[in-house]
Amino acid sequence: MDGNGRWARKRALPRQAGHNYGAQTFRKITKYCEKIGIKHLTVYAFSTENWRRPKSEVDSIMKLFKEYLEESLTDFTKENIRTRFIGDFTPLSPEIRELMSKAEELTKNKTGLCLNIAINYGGREEIAHAARSIARDVAEGRLSPDDITQQDISERIYTAGQPDPDLILRPSGEYRTSNFLLWQSAYSEYVFMDILWPDFKPADLDRALNEYARRNRRFGGV
Ligand code: FPP
């Protein structure tokens, strides 16, 4: 969900205002994804590197996240969305972690969109987390080093059990992956769009999906 800061700067507003609008866009786009039948959506809300921002900005993003969680707990009956979180939650406040557990528990039987919110997420940290889990299994004799497969890693990443993404969409005119879903994106199709996240509309998602539909996916074959 990139470009909140630039969107605010263009309007001579504080960066916080960009995140406020970005959070509204997030709500609209998740609802739209549910409506058009997308089964899995992962949004990158906060990376393991985003702690380097000024404390006031980090606090404002956490506040928006908390507001969204509180609202989703009272609103959850309206949407058929299953909410999950991916990332390392240890540095998050106990209050936010408690709300996250409640949101996961309340929505676990929803059958529509599965929404993953990546919070304190980093693709490299996710792979390191899987490596630690494998190392423990080896140390305790449950797994032999020679038998470690790609499947063993896939089963230990945060999105275990969910399909790899077909499409990864990055708005804001930047052309990089920024540590997002590194393991899962081996054969994902990328669409880069020159639009700042607060301006992103359902029609922009449609454009990206049309672009995706024109791609010829070969997964290394012919
Ligand atoms: C990236 O834009 C955006 C973020 C680091 C924060 C995204 C957070 C939200 C949209 C709101 C909170 C989340 C939820 C789930 C309610 P940027 O700040 O890097 O923009 P810039 O590159 O233009 O500076």
Side-chain angles (χ1 to χ4, degrees), residues 74-106:
T74 51
D75 241 23
F76 81 100
T77 46
K78 283 196 212 148
E79 319 289 341
N80 194 14
I81 298 177
R82 175 175 183 180
T83 309
R84 288 177 167 192
F85 303 92
I86 61 169
D88 170 11
F89 311 141
T90 29
L92 303 176
S93 75
E95 206 183 357
I96 285 190
R97 288 167 66 169
E98 172 76 21
L99 289 166
M100 287 161 64
S101 303
K102 281 191 184 151
E104 282 192 340
E105 180 58 29
L106 274 176

PDB file of all heavy atoms in Angstrom, residues 74-106:
ATOM      1  N   THR A  74     -16.493  -5.196  15.670  1.00  0.00           N
ATOM      2  CA  THR A  74     -17.921  -4.899  15.818  1.00  0.00           C
ATOM      3  C   THR A  74     -18.665  -5.115  14.496  1.00  0.00           C
ATOM      4  O   THR A  74     -19.850  -5.358  14.488  1.00  0.00           O
ATOM      5  CB  THR A  74     -18.149  -3.439  16.276  1.00  0.00           C
ATOM      6  OG1 THR A  74     -17.414  -2.590  15.408  1.00  0.00           O
ATOM      7  CG2 THR A  74     -17.708  -3.217  17.694  1.00  0.00           C
ATOM      8  N   ASP A  75     -17.925  -5.050  13.398  1.00  0.00           N
ATOM      9  CA  ASP A  75     -18.499  -5.058  12.054  1.00  0.00           C
ATOM     10  C   ASP A  75     -18.427  -6.422  11.382  1.00  0.00           C
ATOM     11  O   ASP A  75     -18.866  -6.576  10.258  1.00  0.00           O
ATOM     12  CB  ASP A  75     -17.620  -4.124  11.187  1.00  0.00           C
ATOM     13  CG  ASP A  75     -18.392  -2.970  10.629  1.00  0.00           C
ATOM     14  OD1 ASP A  75     -19.412  -2.654  11.226  1.00  0.00           O
ATOM     15  OD2 ASP A  75     -17.969  -2.421   9.605  1.00  0.00           O
ATOM     16  N   PHE A  76     -17.820  -7.407  12.058  1.00  0.00           N
ATOM     17  CA  PHE A  76     -17.398  -8.599  11.342  1.00  0.00           C
ATOM     18  C   PHE A  76     -18.530  -9.403  10.712  1.00  0.00           C
ATOM     19  O   PHE A  76     -18.335 -10.115   9.745  1.00  0.00           O
ATOM     20  CB  PHE A  76     -16.527  -9.493  12.246  1.00  0.00           C
ATOM     21  CG  PHE A  76     -17.310 -10.339  13.190  1.00  0.00           C
ATOM     22  CD1 PHE A  76     -17.542 -11.678  12.900  1.00  0.00           C
ATOM     23  CD2 PHE A  76     -17.820  -9.813  14.362  1.00  0.00           C
ATOM     24  CE1 PHE A  76     -18.269 -12.459  13.764  1.00  0.00           C
ATOM     25  CE2 PHE A  76     -18.544 -10.583  15.227  1.00  0.00           C
ATOM     26  CZ  PHE A  76     -18.782 -11.915  14.936  1.00  0.00           C
ATOM     27  N   THR A  77     -19.763  -9.229  11.244  1.00  0.00           N
ATOM     28  CA  THR A  77     -20.872 -10.016  10.692  1.00  0.00           C
ATOM     29  C   THR A  77     -21.239  -9.566   9.273  1.00  0.00           C
ATOM     30  O   THR A  77     -21.798 -10.321   8.502  1.00  0.00           O
ATOM     31  CB  THR A  77     -22.132  -9.880  11.573  1.00  0.00           C
ATOM     32  OG1 THR A  77     -22.294  -8.494  11.875  1.00  0.00           O
ATOM     33  CG2 THR A  77     -22.023 -10.680  12.845  1.00  0.00           C
ATOM     34  N   LYS A  78     -20.899  -8.312   8.925  1.00  0.00           N
ATOM     35  CA  LYS A  78     -21.312  -7.746   7.630  1.00  0.00           C
ATOM     36  C   LYS A  78     -20.554  -8.350   6.446  1.00  0.00           C
ATOM     37  O   LYS A  78     -21.070  -8.439   5.351  1.00  0.00           O
ATOM     38  CB  LYS A  78     -21.048  -6.233   7.630  1.00  0.00           C
ATOM     39  CG  LYS A  78     -22.050  -5.435   8.405  1.00  0.00           C
ATOM     40  CD  LYS A  78     -21.930  -3.966   8.012  1.00  0.00           C
ATOM     41  CE  LYS A  78     -22.266  -3.076   9.192  1.00  0.00           C
ATOM     42  NZ  LYS A  78     -21.511  -1.838   9.187  1.00  0.00           N
ATOM     43  N   GLU A  79     -19.299  -8.693   6.655  1.00  0.00           N
ATOM     44  CA  GLU A  79     -18.478  -9.159   5.526  1.00  0.00           C
ATOM     45  C   GLU A  79     -18.200 -10.653   5.658  1.00  0.00           C
ATOM     46  O   GLU A  79     -18.083 -11.171   6.755  1.00  0.00           O
ATOM     47  CB  GLU A  79     -17.113  -8.433   5.506  1.00  0.00           C
ATOM     48  CG  GLU A  79     -17.149  -6.964   5.805  1.00  0.00           C
ATOM     49  CD  GLU A  79     -17.763  -6.154   4.680  1.00  0.00           C
ATOM     50  OE1 GLU A  79     -17.831  -6.663   3.550  1.00  0.00           O
ATOM     51  OE2 GLU A  79     -18.187  -5.025   4.954  1.00  0.00           O
ATOM     52  N   ASN A  80     -18.019 -11.277   4.490  1.00  0.00           N
ATOM     53  CA  ASN A  80     -17.635 -12.690   4.515  1.00  0.00           C
ATOM     54  C   ASN A  80     -16.117 -12.803   4.349  1.00  0.00           C
ATOM     55  O   ASN A  80     -15.624 -13.466   3.440  1.00  0.00           O
ATOM     56  CB  ASN A  80     -18.392 -13.425   3.404  1.00  0.00           C
ATOM     57  CG  ASN A  80     -18.309 -14.927   3.574  1.00  0.00           C
ATOM     58  OD1 ASN A  80     -17.927 -15.427   4.635  1.00  0.00           O
ATOM     59  ND2 ASN A  80     -18.641 -15.656   2.520  1.00  0.00           N
ATOM     60  N   ILE A  81     -15.385 -12.079   5.201  1.00  0.00           N
ATOM     61  CA  ILE A  81     -13.922 -12.013   5.079  1.00  0.00           C
ATOM     62  C   ILE A  81     -13.265 -12.670   6.282  1.00  0.00           C
ATOM     63  O   ILE A  81     -13.578 -12.354   7.431  1.00  0.00           O
ATOM     64  CB  ILE A  81     -13.444 -10.543   4.958  1.00  0.00           C
ATOM     65  CG1 ILE A  81     -14.022  -9.895   3.697  1.00  0.00           C
ATOM     66  CG2 ILE A  81     -11.910 -10.465   4.964  1.00  0.00           C
ATOM     67  CD1 ILE A  81     -13.657  -8.413   3.518  1.00  0.00           C
ATOM     68  N   ARG A  82     -12.353 -13.577   5.989  1.00  0.00           N
ATOM     69  CA  ARG A  82     -11.564 -14.204   7.051  1.00  0.00           C
ATOM     70  C   ARG A  82     -10.260 -13.418   7.194  1.00  0.00           C
ATOM     71  O   ARG A  82      -9.523 -13.269   6.219  1.00  0.00           O
ATOM     72  CB  ARG A  82     -11.279 -15.649   6.653  1.00  0.00           C
ATOM     73  CG  ARG A  82     -10.385 -16.344   7.608  1.00  0.00           C
ATOM     74  CD  ARG A  82     -10.227 -17.794   7.230  1.00  0.00           C
ATOM     75  NE  ARG A  82      -9.404 -18.420   8.243  1.00  0.00           N
ATOM     76  CZ  ARG A  82      -9.065 -19.688   8.218  1.00  0.00           C
ATOM     77  NH1 ARG A  82      -9.480 -20.479   7.255  1.00  0.00           N
ATOM     78  NH2 ARG A  82      -8.305 -20.185   9.157  1.00  0.00           N
ATOM     79  N   THR A  83     -10.009 -12.900   8.369  1.00  0.00           N
ATOM     80  CA  THR A  83      -8.824 -12.060   8.557  1.00  0.00           C
ATOM     81  C   THR A  83      -7.719 -12.840   9.256  1.00  0.00           C
ATOM     82  O   THR A  83      -7.965 -13.512  10.262  1.00  0.00           O
ATOM     83  CB  THR A  83      -9.183 -10.818   9.397  1.00  0.00           C
ATOM     84  OG1 THR A  83     -10.320 -10.192   8.811  1.00  0.00           O
ATOM     85  CG2 THR A  83      -8.045  -9.812   9.418  1.00  0.00           C
ATOM     86  N   ARG A  84      -6.525 -12.724   8.697  1.00  0.00           N
ATOM     87  CA  ARG A  84      -5.339 -13.342   9.312  1.00  0.00           C
ATOM     88  C   ARG A  84      -4.207 -12.337   9.308  1.00  0.00           C
ATOM     89  O   ARG A  84      -4.226 -11.390   8.525  1.00  0.00           O
ATOM     90  CB  ARG A  84      -4.893 -14.545   8.489  1.00  0.00           C
ATOM     91  CG  ARG A  84      -5.812 -15.718   8.601  1.00  0.00           C
ATOM     92  CD  ARG A  84      -5.278 -16.768   7.685  1.00  0.00           C
ATOM     93  NE  ARG A  84      -5.881 -18.051   7.919  1.00  0.00           N
ATOM     94  CZ  ARG A  84      -5.411 -19.166   7.400  1.00  0.00           C
ATOM     95  NH1 ARG A  84      -4.336 -19.147   6.644  1.00  0.00           N
ATOM     96  NH2 ARG A  84      -6.001 -20.300   7.647  1.00  0.00           N
ATOM     97  N   PHE A  85      -3.204 -12.596  10.096  1.00  0.00           N
ATOM     98  CA  PHE A  85      -2.063 -11.679  10.163  1.00  0.00           C
ATOM     99  C   PHE A  85      -0.797 -12.464   9.912  1.00  0.00           C
ATOM    100  O   PHE A  85      -0.689 -13.622  10.335  1.00  0.00           O
ATOM    101  CB  PHE A  85      -2.028 -10.995  11.532  1.00  0.00           C
ATOM    102  CG  PHE A  85      -3.317 -10.272  11.811  1.00  0.00           C
ATOM    103  CD1 PHE A  85      -4.355 -10.903  12.485  1.00  0.00           C
ATOM    104  CD2 PHE A  85      -3.528  -8.987  11.311  1.00  0.00           C
ATOM    105  CE1 PHE A  85      -5.573 -10.275  12.678  1.00  0.00           C
ATOM    106  CE2 PHE A  85      -4.741  -8.352  11.497  1.00  0.00           C
ATOM    107  CZ  PHE A  85      -5.764  -8.992  12.185  1.00  0.00           C
ATOM    108  N   ILE A  86       0.117 -11.849   9.191  1.00  0.00           N
ATOM    109  CA  ILE A  86       1.403 -12.512   8.977  1.00  0.00           C
ATOM    110  C   ILE A  86       2.524 -11.551   9.358  1.00  0.00           C
ATOM    111  O   ILE A  86       2.431 -10.347   9.124  1.00  0.00           O
ATOM    112  CB  ILE A  86       1.573 -13.029   7.522  1.00  0.00           C
ATOM    113  CG1 ILE A  86       1.517 -11.891   6.488  1.00  0.00           C
ATOM    114  CG2 ILE A  86       0.539 -14.101   7.184  1.00  0.00           C
ATOM    115  CD1 ILE A  86       1.942 -12.330   5.074  1.00  0.00           C
ATOM    116  N   GLY A  87       3.561 -12.093   9.977  1.00  0.00           N
ATOM    117  CA  GLY A  87       4.688 -11.270  10.406  1.00  0.00           C
ATOM    118  C   GLY A  87       5.182 -11.726  11.763  1.00  0.00           C
ATOM    119  O   GLY A  87       4.739 -12.753  12.286  1.00  0.00           O
ATOM    120  N   ASP A  88       6.073 -10.942  12.337  1.00  0.00           N
ATOM    121  CA  ASP A  88       6.583 -11.218  13.682  1.00  0.00           C
ATOM    122  C   ASP A  88       5.885 -10.248  14.622  1.00  0.00           C
ATOM    123  O   ASP A  88       6.126  -9.036  14.576  1.00  0.00           O
ATOM    124  CB  ASP A  88       8.107 -11.008  13.689  1.00  0.00           C
ATOM    125  CG  ASP A  88       8.665 -11.042  15.091  1.00  0.00           C
ATOM    126  OD1 ASP A  88       7.941 -11.434  16.031  1.00  0.00           O
ATOM    127  OD2 ASP A  88       9.841 -10.654  15.265  1.00  0.00           O
ATOM    128  N   PHE A  89       5.011 -10.776  15.451  1.00  0.00           N
ATOM    129  CA  PHE A  89       4.157  -9.903  16.269  1.00  0.00           C
ATOM    130  C   PHE A  89       4.804  -9.502  17.596  1.00  0.00           C
ATOM    131  O   PHE A  89       4.221  -8.700  18.334  1.00  0.00           O
ATOM    132  CB  PHE A  89       2.801 -10.584  16.557  1.00  0.00           C
ATOM    133  CG  PHE A  89       2.149 -11.151  15.314  1.00  0.00           C
ATOM    134  CD1 PHE A  89       1.485 -12.371  15.345  1.00  0.00           C
ATOM    135  CD2 PHE A  89       2.226 -10.468  14.108  1.00  0.00           C
ATOM    136  CE1 PHE A  89       0.902 -12.899  14.198  1.00  0.00           C
ATOM    137  CE2 PHE A  89       1.652 -10.983  12.950  1.00  0.00           C
ATOM    138  CZ  PHE A  89       0.998 -12.200  12.999  1.00  0.00           C
ATOM    139  N   THR A  90       5.992 -10.050  17.911  1.00  0.00           N
ATOM    140  CA  THR A  90       6.574  -9.787  19.245  1.00  0.00           C
ATOM    141  C   THR A  90       6.734  -8.301  19.575  1.00  0.00           C
ATOM    142  O   THR A  90       6.466  -7.914  20.707  1.00  0.00           O
ATOM    143  CB  THR A  90       7.918 -10.533  19.465  1.00  0.00           C
ATOM    144  OG1 THR A  90       8.562 -10.713  18.216  1.00  0.00           O
ATOM    145  CG2 THR A  90       7.756 -11.850  20.143  1.00  0.00           C
ATOM    146  N   PRO A  91       7.143  -7.411  18.635  1.00  0.00           N
ATOM    147  CA  PRO A  91       7.283  -6.007  19.063  1.00  0.00           C
ATOM    148  C   PRO A  91       5.970  -5.228  19.112  1.00  0.00           C
ATOM    149  O   PRO A  91       5.978  -4.053  19.481  1.00  0.00           O
ATOM    150  CB  PRO A  91       8.206  -5.392  17.997  1.00  0.00           C
ATOM    151  CG  PRO A  91       8.369  -6.398  16.934  1.00  0.00           C
ATOM    152  CD  PRO A  91       7.567  -7.607  17.254  1.00  0.00           C
ATOM    153  N   LEU A  92       4.850  -5.845  18.743  1.00  0.00           N
ATOM    154  CA  LEU A  92       3.568  -5.112  18.759  1.00  0.00           C
ATOM    155  C   LEU A  92       3.036  -5.027  20.196  1.00  0.00           C
ATOM    156  O   LEU A  92       3.348  -5.883  21.034  1.00  0.00           O
ATOM    157  CB  LEU A  92       2.544  -5.815  17.863  1.00  0.00           C
ATOM    158  CG  LEU A  92       2.959  -5.998  16.397  1.00  0.00           C
ATOM    159  CD1 LEU A  92       1.898  -6.786  15.638  1.00  0.00           C
ATOM    160  CD2 LEU A  92       3.196  -4.652  15.713  1.00  0.00           C
ATOM    161  N   SER A  93       2.212  -4.031  20.475  1.00  0.00           N
ATOM    162  CA  SER A  93       1.718  -3.864  21.847  1.00  0.00           C
ATOM    163  C   SER A  93       0.781  -5.028  22.192  1.00  0.00           C
ATOM    164  O   SER A  93       0.087  -5.564  21.320  1.00  0.00           O
ATOM    165  CB  SER A  93       0.977  -2.530  21.983  1.00  0.00           C
ATOM    166  OG  SER A  93      -0.290  -2.622  21.366  1.00  0.00           O
ATOM    167  N   PRO A  94       0.743  -5.413  23.490  1.00  0.00           N
ATOM    168  CA  PRO A  94      -0.140  -6.508  23.906  1.00  0.00           C
ATOM    169  C   PRO A  94      -1.593  -6.229  23.524  1.00  0.00           C
ATOM    170  O   PRO A  94      -2.337  -7.139  23.161  1.00  0.00           O
ATOM    171  CB  PRO A  94       0.015  -6.544  25.434  1.00  0.00           C
ATOM    172  CG  PRO A  94       1.298  -5.845  25.718  1.00  0.00           C
ATOM    173  CD  PRO A  94       1.539  -4.870  24.605  1.00  0.00           C
ATOM    174  N   GLU A  95      -1.993  -4.952  23.565  1.00  0.00           N
ATOM    175  CA  GLU A  95      -3.368  -4.568  23.229  1.00  0.00           C
ATOM    176  C   GLU A  95      -3.673  -4.901  21.764  1.00  0.00           C
ATOM    177  O   GLU A  95      -4.718  -5.483  21.442  1.00  0.00           O
ATOM    178  CB  GLU A  95      -3.463  -3.063  23.456  1.00  0.00           C
ATOM    179  CG  GLU A  95      -4.816  -2.550  23.775  1.00  0.00           C
ATOM    180  CD  GLU A  95      -4.777  -1.032  23.907  1.00  0.00           C
ATOM    181  OE1 GLU A  95      -3.687  -0.425  23.797  1.00  0.00           O
ATOM    182  OE2 GLU A  95      -5.862  -0.470  24.100  1.00  0.00           O
ATOM    183  N   ILE A  96      -2.747  -4.544  20.878  1.00  0.00           N
ATOM    184  CA  ILE A  96      -2.941  -4.824  19.444  1.00  0.00           C
ATOM    185  C   ILE A  96      -2.921  -6.335  19.202  1.00  0.00           C
ATOM    186  O   ILE A  96      -3.755  -6.867  18.461  1.00  0.00           O
ATOM    187  CB  ILE A  96      -1.877  -4.078  18.599  1.00  0.00           C
ATOM    188  CG1 ILE A  96      -2.236  -2.583  18.550  1.00  0.00           C
ATOM    189  CG2 ILE A  96      -1.757  -4.663  17.195  1.00  0.00           C
ATOM    190  CD1 ILE A  96      -1.447  -1.742  17.577  1.00  0.00           C
ATOM    191  N   ARG A  97      -2.015  -7.022  19.865  1.00  0.00           N
ATOM    192  CA  ARG A  97      -1.931  -8.483  19.663  1.00  0.00           C
ATOM    193  C   ARG A  97      -3.221  -9.168  20.103  1.00  0.00           C
ATOM    194  O   ARG A  97      -3.688 -10.119  19.469  1.00  0.00           O
ATOM    195  CB  ARG A  97      -0.722  -9.045  20.397  1.00  0.00           C
ATOM    196  CG  ARG A  97       0.560  -8.644  19.692  1.00  0.00           C
ATOM    197  CD  ARG A  97       1.779  -8.891  20.517  1.00  0.00           C
ATOM    198  NE  ARG A  97       2.018 -10.305  20.757  1.00  0.00           N
ATOM    199  CZ  ARG A  97       3.141 -10.768  21.284  1.00  0.00           C
ATOM    200  NH1 ARG A  97       4.110  -9.939  21.615  1.00  0.00           N
ATOM    201  NH2 ARG A  97       3.308 -12.052  21.475  1.00  0.00           N
ATOM    202  N   GLU A  98      -3.789  -8.683  21.188  1.00  0.00           N
ATOM    203  CA  GLU A  98      -5.045  -9.237  21.693  1.00  0.00           C
ATOM    204  C   GLU A  98      -6.172  -9.011  20.666  1.00  0.00           C
ATOM    205  O   GLU A  98      -6.955  -9.912  20.366  1.00  0.00           O
ATOM    206  CB  GLU A  98      -5.353  -8.534  23.033  1.00  0.00           C
ATOM    207  CG  GLU A  98      -6.696  -8.806  23.655  1.00  0.00           C
ATOM    208  CD  GLU A  98      -6.758 -10.176  24.313  1.00  0.00           C
ATOM    209  OE1 GLU A  98      -5.691 -10.709  24.622  1.00  0.00           O
ATOM    210  OE2 GLU A  98      -7.887 -10.699  24.474  1.00  0.00           O
ATOM    211  N   LEU A  99      -6.230  -7.808  20.108  1.00  0.00           N
ATOM    212  CA  LEU A  99      -7.255  -7.500  19.095  1.00  0.00           C
ATOM    213  C   LEU A  99      -7.061  -8.368  17.851  1.00  0.00           C
ATOM    214  O   LEU A  99      -8.022  -8.834  17.229  1.00  0.00           O
ATOM    215  CB  LEU A  99      -7.200  -6.016  18.709  1.00  0.00           C
ATOM    216  CG  LEU A  99      -7.680  -5.012  19.750  1.00  0.00           C
ATOM    217  CD1 LEU A  99      -7.261  -3.592  19.380  1.00  0.00           C
ATOM    218  CD2 LEU A  99      -9.205  -5.082  19.908  1.00  0.00           C
ATOM    219  N   MET A 100      -5.801  -8.589  17.471  1.00  0.00           N
ATOM    220  CA  MET A 100      -5.515  -9.433  16.305  1.00  0.00           C
ATOM    221  C   MET A 100      -6.018 -10.867  16.531  1.00  0.00           C
ATOM    222  O   MET A 100      -6.645 -11.462  15.654  1.00  0.00           O
ATOM    223  CB  MET A 100      -4.002  -9.441  16.022  1.00  0.00           C
ATOM    224  CG  MET A 100      -3.495  -8.132  15.431  1.00  0.00           C
ATOM    225  SD  MET A 100      -1.696  -7.926  15.604  1.00  0.00           S
ATOM    226  CE  MET A 100      -1.052  -9.244  14.612  1.00  0.00           C
ATOM    227  N   SER A 101      -5.749 -11.398  17.723  1.00  0.00           N
ATOM    228  CA  SER A 101      -6.218 -12.773  18.027  1.00  0.00           C
ATOM    229  C   SER A 101      -7.738 -12.831  17.972  1.00  0.00           C
ATOM    230  O   SER A 101      -8.311 -13.792  17.429  1.00  0.00           O
ATOM    231  CB  SER A 101      -5.812 -13.208  19.435  1.00  0.00           C
ATOM    232  OG  SER A 101      -4.460 -13.128  19.589  1.00  0.00           O
ATOM    233  N   LYS A 102      -8.384 -11.791  18.505  1.00  0.00           N
ATOM    234  CA  LYS A 102      -9.855 -11.783  18.504  1.00  0.00           C
ATOM    235  C   LYS A 102     -10.382 -11.739  17.072  1.00  0.00           C
ATOM    236  O   LYS A 102     -11.332 -12.439  16.736  1.00  0.00           O
ATOM    237  CB  LYS A 102     -10.384 -10.570  19.281  1.00  0.00           C
ATOM    238  CG  LYS A 102     -10.349 -10.769  20.763  1.00  0.00           C
ATOM    239  CD  LYS A 102     -11.128  -9.638  21.453  1.00  0.00           C
ATOM    240  CE  LYS A 102     -11.014  -9.756  22.964  1.00  0.00           C
ATOM    241  NZ  LYS A 102     -11.098  -8.472  23.629  1.00  0.00           N
ATOM    242  N   ALA A 103      -9.776 -10.891  16.225  1.00  0.00           N
ATOM    243  CA  ALA A 103     -10.238 -10.770  14.835  1.00  0.00           C
ATOM    244  C   ALA A 103     -10.067 -12.103  14.099  1.00  0.00           C
ATOM    245  O   ALA A 103     -10.951 -12.525  13.342  1.00  0.00           O
ATOM    246  CB  ALA A 103      -9.470  -9.655  14.118  1.00  0.00           C
ATOM    247  N   GLU A 104      -8.964 -12.787  14.344  1.00  0.00           N
ATOM    248  CA  GLU A 104      -8.746 -14.087  13.689  1.00  0.00           C
ATOM    249  C   GLU A 104      -9.786 -15.099  14.163  1.00  0.00           C
ATOM    250  O   GLU A 104     -10.357 -15.842  13.361  1.00  0.00           O
ATOM    251  CB  GLU A 104      -7.332 -14.607  13.993  1.00  0.00           C
ATOM    252  CG  GLU A 104      -6.280 -13.925  13.161  1.00  0.00           C
ATOM    253  CD  GLU A 104      -4.906 -14.595  13.202  1.00  0.00           C
ATOM    254  OE1 GLU A 104      -4.634 -15.367  14.148  1.00  0.00           O
ATOM    255  OE2 GLU A 104      -4.117 -14.342  12.294  1.00  0.00           O
ATOM    256  N   GLU A 105     -10.022 -15.108  15.470  1.00  0.00           N
ATOM    257  CA  GLU A 105     -10.955 -16.070  16.060  1.00  0.00           C
ATOM    258  C   GLU A 105     -12.384 -15.815  15.546  1.00  0.00           C
ATOM    259  O   GLU A 105     -13.072 -16.736  15.123  1.00  0.00           O
ATOM    260  CB  GLU A 105     -10.873 -15.940  17.599  1.00  0.00           C
ATOM    261  CG  GLU A 105     -11.764 -16.856  18.390  1.00  0.00           C
ATOM    262  CD  GLU A 105     -11.535 -18.341  18.110  1.00  0.00           C
ATOM    263  OE1 GLU A 105     -10.395 -18.711  17.749  1.00  0.00           O
ATOM    264  OE2 GLU A 105     -12.517 -19.099  18.220  1.00  0.00           O
ATOM    265  N   LEU A 106     -12.799 -14.542  15.549  1.00  0.00           N
ATOM    266  CA  LEU A 106     -14.174 -14.214  15.150  1.00  0.00           C
ATOM    267  C   LEU A 106     -14.460 -14.513  13.682  1.00  0.00           C
ATOM    268  O   LEU A 106     -15.596 -14.778  13.320  1.00  0.00           O
ATOM    269  CB  LEU A 106     -14.431 -12.717  15.385  1.00  0.00           C
ATOM    270  CG  LEU A 106     -14.886 -12.289  16.758  1.00  0.00           C
ATOM    271  CD1 LEU A 106     -15.001 -10.773  16.823  1.00  0.00           C
ATOM    272  CD2 LEU A 106     -16.234 -12.918  17.104  1.00  0.00           C
TER     273      LEU A 106
END
